[in-house]
Amino acid sequence: MYFMGSFTAIQDFFADNWDLVDVQWSSGGVGLRLTITNSLTDDWDRFFTESVADWNAAPALSLSTTTAKFGDDRCSHINNVLRVCNGEYGRNVGWQGLNEVFFDENTNIIVSSVAIMNDSYLRGKSDAQKLYVMCHELGHGFGLPHRDERTWNRDLGSCLDYTRNYRVNMRPDTDVDFQNLTNLYGVIGGFRNLRKKNEPKYTLPENIDEIVQTTNKWDYRLGRLLHQSRHREMYENDLGNGLKVVTTVLKGEDSDE
């Protein structure tokens, strides 16, 4: 594992082994109510439905879903929405799953996220592996970091644990993962956490697609490398005017070979 630049400059949201982080969706500390848009092909629907239900059992979350299957391979960002897509992105890109988070560095509020499954790696893989990757990328979309980056140690029973034993790690851990969400957002229907600012929702610029294309959205490696290990890479691109995007990739199984 190695880092480029100052690791201490990375927002806590993007670092492992965090305590209470500052970068998150706007919630006011009374739980996160979030819309997740299904832009997947039909063969992914059951994995999406199952994983959303697993996460929605968290006391901190109230998730609603919409469908927008436009065949948009770019998986464009939508204001204040977590969008989920899949496509044939090729094996040469090196990842089986990817998450992007747009956030306003002035308020530390997440304004949009996309979670993407790469069929070039996942086609023909087990249902357990597909559910693991779906759960993993949704977890990043909610603001959670990885639990562990080693595949050879004891499984944690969490999709945020790196593993080759997908069947026992294809869902969120209802203890630690759910508690981490409560630390971030409070509990749905609970008392307002006075430490949490109820920030107004940030609005993406109308020309956001043009902006991200000119900053090489799908060539995210041209951005600043924040972290690299055997199983993941993380890059930051500055879009200007306080808006940044961090891309975290879950590498394909080839990375173990």
Side-chain angles (χ1 to χ4, degrees), residues 55 132 135-136 144-148 155-163 165-166 168-174 176-177:
W55 281 111
Y132 167 82
C135 177
H136 186 101
L144 295 177
H146 299 118
R147 295 274 303 281
D148 178 70
D155 289 309
L156 299 179
S158 166
C159 61
L160 292 169
D161 175 24
Y162 281 94
T163 186
N165 190 4
Y166 301 111
V168 299
N169 292 278
M170 61 186 183
R171 304 184 192 281
D173 173 2
T174 57
V176 177
D177 292 339

Side-chain angles (χ1 to χ4, degrees), residues 79-90:
N79 268 314
N80 302 306
V81 167
L82 169 55
R83 188 178 185 185
V84 186
C85 310
N86 68 295
E88 297 277 357
Y89 295 96

Side-chain angles (χ1 to χ4, degrees), residues 49-256:
T49 299
E50 188 169 347
S51 193
V52 169
D54 286 342
W55 281 111
N56 208 21
L61 299 179
S62 178
L63 307 174
S64 59
T65 61
T66 62
T67 300
K69 300 195 175 188
F70 301 134
D72 181 1
D73 289 340
R74 294 175 303 159
C75 201
S76 300
H77 284 255
I78 305 172
N79 268 314
N80 302 306
V81 167
L82 169 55
R83 188 178 185 185
V84 186
C85 310
N86 68 295
E88 297 277 357
Y89 295 96
R91 294 184 67 86
N92 62 314
V93 297
W95 53 267
Q96 57 181 320
L98 176 150
N99 179 268
E100 285 186 341
V101 169
F102 280 26
F103 71 101
D104 175 10
E105 67 171 345
N106 297 310
T107 61
N108 287 343
I109 296 296
I110 299 173
V111 298
S112 174
S113 179
V114 296
I116 306 175
M117 319 301 135
N118 185 358
D119 286 325
S120 301
Y121 270 98
L122 294 169
R123 191 175 306 284
K125 299 297 185 182
S126 68
D127 287 357
Q129 183 171 349
K130 291 179 179 179
L131 189 57
Y132 167 82
V133 177
M134 175 70 69
C135 177
H136 186 101
E137 301 308 336
L138 287 178
H140 286 323
F142 300 136
L144 295 177
H146 299 118
R147 295 274 303 281
D148 178 70
E149 287 201 9
R150 293 161 292 184
T151 60
W152 60 87
N153 58 351
R154 180 179 63 87
D155 289 309
L156 299 179
S158 166
C159 61
L160 292 169
D161 175 24
Y162 281 94
T163 186
R164 300 299 291 271
N165 190 4
Y166 301 111
R167 187 163 298 279
V168 299
N169 292 278
M170 61 186 183
R171 304 184 192 281
D173 173 2
T174 57
D175 293 325
V176 177
D177 292 339
F178 282 12
Q179 183 59 52
N180 286 341
L181 286 168
T182 297
N183 292 344
L184 279 172
Y185 299 112
V187 175
I188 295 292
F191 293 103
R192 184 172 184 271
N193 185 342
L194 296 179
R195 293 181 301 172
K196 303 289 186 181
K197 294 185 292 183
N198 191 15
E199 298 282 359
K201 291 188 175 181
Y202 183 94
T203 300
L204 292 176
E206 292 183 1
N207 63 334
I208 189 61
D209 282 339
E210 176 183 344
I211 292 173
V212 296
Q213 290 306 316
T214 57
T215 53
N216 298 287
K217 177 174 184 288
W218 289 117
D219 198 2
Y220 56 84
R221 288 185 177 90
L222 294 180
R224 184 167 70 100
L225 177 63
L226 300 179
H227 174 87
Q228 186 177 64
S229 68
R230 175 177 292 184
H231 302 291
R232 75 162 170 154
E233 293 177 350
M234 188 163 52
Y235 295 82
E236 177 189 80
N237 278 278
D238 190 337
L239 305 182
N241 297 318
L243 186 64
K244 291 188 174 182
V245 54
V246 166
T247 304
T248 304
V249 300
L250 175 63
K251 292 185 179 179
E253 292 176 330
D254 296 353
S255 61
D256 282 342

